[in-house]
Amino acid sequence: MQPDASRPSELIYGLDDRPQPLPALLAALQHVLASFVGIITPPLVIGSALGLSTHLPYLISMALMVSGVGTFIQARRPWGIGAGMICLQGTSFAFLGAVLSAGFLVKQRGGSPEDILAMIFGVCFFGALVQIVLSRFIGRLRRVITPLVTGIVITLIGISLIKVGITDLGGGFNAADFGAPGNLGLGLLVLLTIILLNRSNTPWVRLSAIIIGLALGSLAAWFSGKLVPQPLPDLPLISLPLPFRYGFSFDWSAFIPVALIYLISTLETVGDLTANCMLARQPISGPSYISRLKGGVLGDGVSCMIAATFSAFPNTTFAQNNGVIQLTGVASRFVGLYIGLILFCLGLFPLIGALLQQIPKPVLGGATLVMFGSVAAAGVRILAQAPLDRRSMLIIATSFGVGLGIAAQPNLLHLLPKVVQNLFDSAITSGGLTALLMSLLLPESKGAANDANPIPENDTLKAH
């Protein structure tokens, strides 16, 4: 399947275009702002749950630094490692359950915080090999990782992220003033600003839509008293990365759940890369596409291995940055190099990150809500390009039913073993695995074409 060449591209900068430094920096900053909270939140959650508060500043710095290195590799694609696109690498939420289980295992044995981190990074280091090995077989796996499966996964990713965006818009998780009119007003102001600016035909206006929205929202928050600048914490001027700072440990019972999550993360990455290819007007079938998938999944695995080496939790390709590409119209892989350098500097100089953390949640929620919605829309677009016969509709219906059902009722699995809970406790993993298994188990009918609804062929959609 090729992008439709007859359709005028909405991209300001294509995949191999080289923007001037200023527009490239502007586009890169919007990607960083869209992902910053997502990168630092998993270390905060893991650190607070496992009692690692004294190590948190270093863990956050390493998360940002490694995200920068991984993003740079994905964009630069050295030795075939990476997709050669804007694939922002960020700390993965999917690993939270498995990582916490490994940490609590050591804690119950009376281990110190350093022992906990040695175990976590040890199992994550070897777990990354799962993704590296799988990347070599992506071409053969395309029989099961079809556009139907990837479309379902991308849609579920977007829908799952929308919950995060709307929670931030209301004030943040467990906020005392959640849903207050002031919070909703700030979020809607940012949301409307981004939408209006994005409809402009002026490239500079569209390029800066997210930054202007966040700046306007922060200014309004300051005037309304929602943004009260806090004194900066006592942080070192520079955080230097040290390999295996906390040692290295391994345990099979901690490793197996982590390895399984790496398998699920690979499926998620394939979905994100497919959406990225569509937005960048690149093929989503054929040798070029398979080569990008192989390089992208390999880049994820190498990024995770680097993360474990330098005391950062597992990385993945962030879906929300596909939304930024769609909103800004900038798909240039050279912008990915700028993103990588900015994230590395944020990790190297932790005080910069501390400043960005002061952006109010409702302001961030207003920006991320439309970006996460764009991710879900990209998934729907892929599904619309697949022949929707009875088999496909049954797979879509069951996958959405299982994934969204478990997301709506997370206590459904609380009596099952912890490994099962860790694997299926999110819409992405449960719905994605359901789609994968049903694609394998339900044979394709020879008369499937007769069952499918006819798909109109026009300038935006081609039947195949």
Side-chain angles (χ1 to χ4, degrees), residues 54-74:
T54 56
H55 301 287
L56 265 180
Y58 184 77
L59 294 176
I60 290 172
S61 285
M62 292 305 104
L64 289 164
M65 208 176 289
V66 168
S67 291
V69 172
T71 304
F72 193 95
I73 289 172
Q74 286 280 12

Side-chain angles (χ1 to χ4, degrees), residues 31-32 35 39 71 86-90 316-318 321 339 343:
H31 281 277
V32 171
S35 60
I39 294 171
T71 304
I86 300 177
C87 300
L88 195 147
Q89 301 289 285
T316 190
T317 298
F318 267 19
N321 293 87
I339 298 169
L343 286 171

Side-chain angles (χ1 to χ4, degrees), residues 282-441:
Q282 299 300 305
I284 56 172
S285 65
S288 169
Y289 171 61
I290 297 299
S291 175
R292 286 198 191 281
L293 290 188
K294 283 184 176 181
V297 174
L298 177 60
D300 262 26
V302 170
S303 180
C304 288
M305 191 166 277
I306 294 171
T309 302
F310 292 100
S311 307
F313 300 108
N315 277 5
T316 190
T317 298
F318 267 19
Q320 55 261 47
N321 293 87
N322 286 336
V324 179
I325 293 172
Q326 184 161 314
L327 288 170
T328 60
V330 178
S332 169
R333 64 189 180 91
F334 297 100
V335 171
L337 306 180
Y338 284 78
I339 298 169
L341 290 172
I342 293 170
L343 286 171
F344 188 86
C345 290
L346 285 174
L348 193 63
F349 302 103
L351 285 174
I352 303 174
L355 278 172
L356 288 178
Q357 280 181 261
Q358 299 198 22
I359 298 175
K361 290 278 187 176
V363 174
L364 285 171
T368 55
L369 187 63
V370 67
M371 290 186 289
F372 296 162
S374 296
V375 175
V380 171
R381 186 178 173 191
I382 293 174
L383 288 176
Q385 293 183 357
L388 297 181
D389 55 27
R390 282 185 295 138
R391 173 181 177 271
S392 298
M393 292 299 289
L394 188 60
I395 293 173
I396 292 170
T398 308
S399 302
F400 282 172
V402 171
L404 298 178
I406 288 177
Q409 191 54 262
N411 290 330
L412 182 70
L413 307 177
H414 76 285
L415 295 179
L416 296 180
K418 202 69 180 174
V419 173
V420 177
Q421 293 182 47
N422 290 341
L423 276 177
F424 295 98
D425 66 350
S426 78
I428 302 165
T429 55
S430 55
L433 280 175
T434 301
L436 200 62
L437 289 172
M438 290 189 72
S439 293
L440 282 171
L441 297 175

